[in-house]
Amino acid sequence: MHGFSRLGNGRANGVSPPLSTTPSPPSSPRFRHSRSKNASFGSRSPKLHTFAERLVYIVLSAVYRKRGVLLFAPLVYISGMLLYMGSLSLEVVAPVVVVKPAPPGSTYRSPQVFEKLRPFMQDDGNHSSNALMTAWHVKSHQSWKHCVNQSISQAGYSELPRSNGFLIIEANGGLNQQRLSICDAVAVAGLLNATLVIPMFHLNSVWRDSRVKAWSSPTYYIQKVLPKLLQMGAVRIAPFSNRLAQAVPSSIQGLRCLANYEALRFSQPIRTLAEKMVDRMVKNSSMSGGKYVSVHLRFEKDMVAFSCCIYDGGEEEKREMDIARERGWRGKFNKTGRIIRPGAIRMDGKCPLTPLEVGMMLRGMGFDNTTSVYIAAGKIYKAEKFMAPLRQLFPLLETKETLALPEELAPFKGHSSRLAALDYTVCLNSEVFVTTQGGNFPHFLMGHRRYFFGGHAKTIKPDKRKLALLFDSPNIRWEYFKRQMQEMLHHSDLKGIEMKKPSSSLYTFPIPDCMCKQVEPGKSDRSTPIII
């Protein structure tokens, strides 16, 4: 018998090998097992034409031999998928960026809201009564009258004692900051039994005593200032702003009341022109019985810049506001670590209302396009753009520039406090006053209006947090918007008569220090303007 050769029959080339007489040793079981596997896979190497086929072949070979199964299993899956897709090319996939929507009330969308509500505003104005005639509801038991002279006479100021010396103050700031300084100085002079020298305005101090701390109590003046007054014969406090506490004895409060509401008057040139302007507003308001609305609009360029709020002016607005902030406040807004969040500022109700927003608010409250409106303001930022929609809503709109003749305004040009005094007087005589941003102007004006209108401020003080939400809703329904505005007007009516709290200002809340309860409500004489 011939032994079986591991080399096969040797006929691959057609040559018969010589027969061997020596048997080959038997192959080991392990070798036979391995050979059988290879034989089962195929004794010939396949023709591999592409890189993909070669890669799959190598991977499958490794898997078949049970070597690196766990390592290459994912590659098998990926390779199969790539072959199925017909490509092995690798592409860089851009990461998906998820942009969170802005919180409600953080974005200026008032123009979009206006476009949605404008047809309804126009239609509604033709079928409803003017809110100017029904805005306020003063009950008889809530009526008050001013009684400053009575409180002063009861305090025993009929005869003045010998003066302890002279009190000299410097009244700085704007119109109403100066008013505050003067009235408080009158009260301090009464407290110290000093003669108040006519205050100086915006003058540099050549010499000055130690400064009096802010919101000082009467005790502080008696213990610290009076000894110096008696020693020197005169005391100068400069600047004199917010130097007297709000809570003082009634006799001192009476002097404040007398100074602010009765004694202090604008100069005669201001009074003369202001009276003409009020008369013209009353005549222009004949359709509403001489009643008109006044608005203190704080949308000047410096106010917009200081607020850090964003409107719809894009890059141009940003560049202008950055320049205005740097020019006015010299790096205050660029300090290291300071983070400005315009959206949060708007949601908090601290953004100045635009003329458009004021107009939509008033129309929602029920003031129709026959309402005469007076705008008290400085130079409005981009007035041509922002004032146009307000004029569409209220064609009978006036400012001091349109109400007074150019030659009448000429002596006041360049004097901001004098121009503010004209605005103050016209606003004081309006049936409805609207405050939009706070500050001394509306605070003092609300006090004067309460003093002259039986205790009621007749002032709309809008909820600007709620307005931010409503003006950020382009799909808002007119009926819902109108209901929200009318509730806001009703709330202002309820807060019209308000008692002074211990920490509040007498110049905003004259009740009860400057006013007394009256049995029957008095009627304001609208034929005679209130000129202060």
Side-chain angles (χ1 to χ4, degrees):
M1 294 180 62
H2 298 288
F4 180 77
S5 173
R6 287 182 297 166
L7 299 178
N9 56 16
R11 296 181 181 178
N13 298 322
V15 179
S16 299
L19 296 176
S20 173
T21 58
T22 307
S24 300
S27 59
S28 67
R30 178 179 178 184
F31 185 80
R32 290 199 302 269
H33 177 72
S34 175
R35 188 176 62 180
S36 66
K37 286 184 180 180
N38 294 336
S40 66
F41 186 76
S43 58
R44 295 184 180 181
S45 298
K47 294 181 180 181
L48 305 177
H49 301 286
T50 65
F51 173 76
E53 291 176 343
R54 289 196 295 270
L55 177 62
V56 173
Y57 176 78
I58 294 171
V59 172
L60 291 178
S61 298
V63 173
Y64 183 76
R65 292 188 178 95
K66 294 186 178 180
R67 295 174 181 174
V69 175
L70 296 178
L71 177 63
F72 290 103
L75 293 177
V76 174
Y77 173 78
I78 295 173
S79 300
M81 292 297 297
L82 292 174
L83 286 174
Y84 175 77
M85 295 169 62
S87 174
L88 276 174
S89 60
L90 300 178
E91 297 181 358
V92 178
V93 181
V96 178
V97 180
V98 179
V99 180
K100 294 183 178 180
S106 63
T107 306
Y108 178 71
R109 292 195 178 96
S110 299
Q112 294 92 315
V113 175
F114 178 55
E115 290 303 319
K116 170 72 182 300
L117 299 183
R118 188 198 311 206
F120 302 97
M121 292 180 182
Q122 294 173 345
D123 183 68
D124 193 74
N126 298 326
H127 302 91
S128 61
S129 59
N130 195 341
L132 190 59
M133 312 303 295
T134 59
W136 313 122
H137 304 83
V138 182
K139 298 179 181 179
S140 58
H141 68 277
Q142 293 179 316
S143 186
W144 295 74
K145 64 179 180 179
H146 40 86
C147 52
V148 173
N149 294 327
Q150 178 180 348
S151 61
I152 292 296
S153 61
Q154 291 176 350
Y157 286 102
S158 57
E159 295 182 3
L160 296 177
R162 181 181 175 85
S163 174
N164 287 328
F166 295 95
L167 174 63
I168 306 168
I169 70 157
E170 180 179 324
N172 62 338
L175 172 69
N176 290 286
Q177 190 69 27
Q178 292 176 357
R179 174 184 288 275
L180 171 65
S181 299
I182 294 170
C183 296
D184 279 0
V186 170
V188 170
L191 176 65
L192 301 177
N193 187 30
T195 301
L196 177 63
V197 179
I198 294 177
M200 295 178 290
F201 301 97
H202 298 289
L203 294 179
N204 293 326
S205 300
V206 179
W207 65 274
R208 63 181 63 186
D209 291 323
S210 301
R211 295 201 179 195
V212 177
K213 65 181 182 180
W215 307 113
S216 296
S217 66
T219 303
Y220 178 89
Y221 279 95
I222 294 297
Q223 295 179 352
K224 300 293 183 180
V225 182
L226 182 58
K228 287 188 177 183
L229 177 65
L230 295 174
Q231 177 186 359
M232 305 294 296
V235 169
R236 181 177 183 180
I237 305 174
F240 191 85
S241 177
N242 300 322
R243 293 294 181 250
L244 181 61
Q246 300 291 357
V248 297
S250 58
S251 59
I252 305 302
Q253 293 289 47
L255 289 175
R256 274 175 158 168
C257 296
L258 179 64
N260 186 57
Y261 295 113
E262 295 291 341
L264 199 57
R265 292 285 184 268
F266 293 133
S267 64
Q268 191 57 48
I270 294 175
R271 290 165 58 87
T272 299
L273 180 55
E275 186 172 4
K276 291 179 181 178
M277 294 171 65
V278 172
D279 287 340
R280 291 167 189 170
M281 279 302 300
V282 171
K283 291 178 181 178
N284 293 346
S285 310
S286 58
M287 297 180 65
S288 54
K291 298 179 179 181
Y292 60 91
V293 174
S294 63
V295 180
H296 185 223
L297 185 60
R298 296 308 315 271
F299 203 71
E300 302 89 350
K301 189 174 185 177
D302 61 340
M303 178 59 67
V304 176
F306 186 81
S307 71
C308 295
C309 296
I310 297 176
Y311 293 88
D312 59 350
E315 288 298 320
E316 180 183 358
E317 176 189 310
K318 182 181 183 303
R319 183 173 61 256
E320 291 179 348
M321 294 299 102
D322 287 341
I323 294 173
R325 280 189 284 266
E326 184 60 27
R327 182 177 60 246
W329 293 279
R330 299 293 180 186
K332 176 179 180 180
F333 297 91
N334 299 324
K335 290 182 179 179
T336 303
R338 178 163 187 172
I339 300 175
I340 299 175
R341 297 184 175 89
I345 296 173
R346 183 172 296 279
M347 292 169 62
D348 199 28
K350 294 181 179 179
C351 286
L353 292 180
T354 65
L356 170 62
E357 291 171 331
V358 172
M360 287 194 292
M361 178 185 72
L362 290 176
R363 289 300 292 268
M365 290 178 174
F367 298 92
D368 61 27
N369 60 359
T370 66
T371 305
S372 293
V373 178
Y374 180 82
I375 300 296
K379 185 178 180 181
I380 299 297
Y381 174 60
K382 291 189 179 297
E384 185 176 352
K385 168 188 174 181
F386 284 105
M387 289 295 291
L390 179 59
R391 293 186 184 278
Q392 292 177 16
L393 293 171
F394 294 98
L396 302 179
L397 186 142
E398 303 284 355
T399 65
K400 52 182 169 289
E401 288 78 15
T402 62
L403 202 58
L405 300 175
E407 55 270 25
E408 292 175 326
L409 274 182
F412 299 86
K413 291 292 186 180
H415 301 280
S416 58
S417 291
R418 299 177 189 178
L419 294 172
L422 297 175
D423 281 338
Y424 194 94
T425 306
V426 179
C427 291
L428 176 60
N429 285 271
S430 63
E431 175 66 14
V432 176
F433 171 63
V434 182
T435 174
T436 63
Q437 191 62 18
N440 282 326
F441 186 100
H443 291 165
F444 272 84
L445 191 60
M446 289 172 67
H448 263 111
R449 290 173 66 83
R450 284 189 170 107
Y451 188 77
F452 289 113
F453 295 151
H456 200 295
K458 294 188 174 183
T459 297
I460 296 175
K461 194 174 181 181
D463 184 345
K464 293 174 65 178
R465 291 189 180 94
K466 179 181 286 187
L467 286 179
L469 293 172
L470 297 174
F471 290 144
D472 193 14
S473 305
N475 296 321
I476 192 171
R477 294 173 58 252
W478 168 243
E479 291 301 325
Y480 177 77
F481 179 82
K482 185 168 65 172
R483 184 166 64 251
Q484 294 297 316
M485 294 301 98
Q486 290 174 348
E487 289 180 2
M488 202 174 293
L489 174 60
H490 179 64
H491 181 75
S492 294
D493 184 23
L494 294 178
K495 301 290 287 186
I497 296 180
E498 197 169 357
M499 305 289 285
K500 176 185 175 298
K501 299 176 182 177
S503 59
S504 300
S505 172
L506 172 144
Y507 305 116
T508 305
F509 304 97
I511 303 174
D513 297 286
C514 310
M515 305 186 73
C516 306
K517 202 76 173 284
Q518 64 178 358
V519 179
E520 295 182 1
K523 296 181 180 180
S524 62
D525 184 5
R526 301 305 298 142
S527 62
T528 305
I530 302 171
I531 308 298
I532 61 173

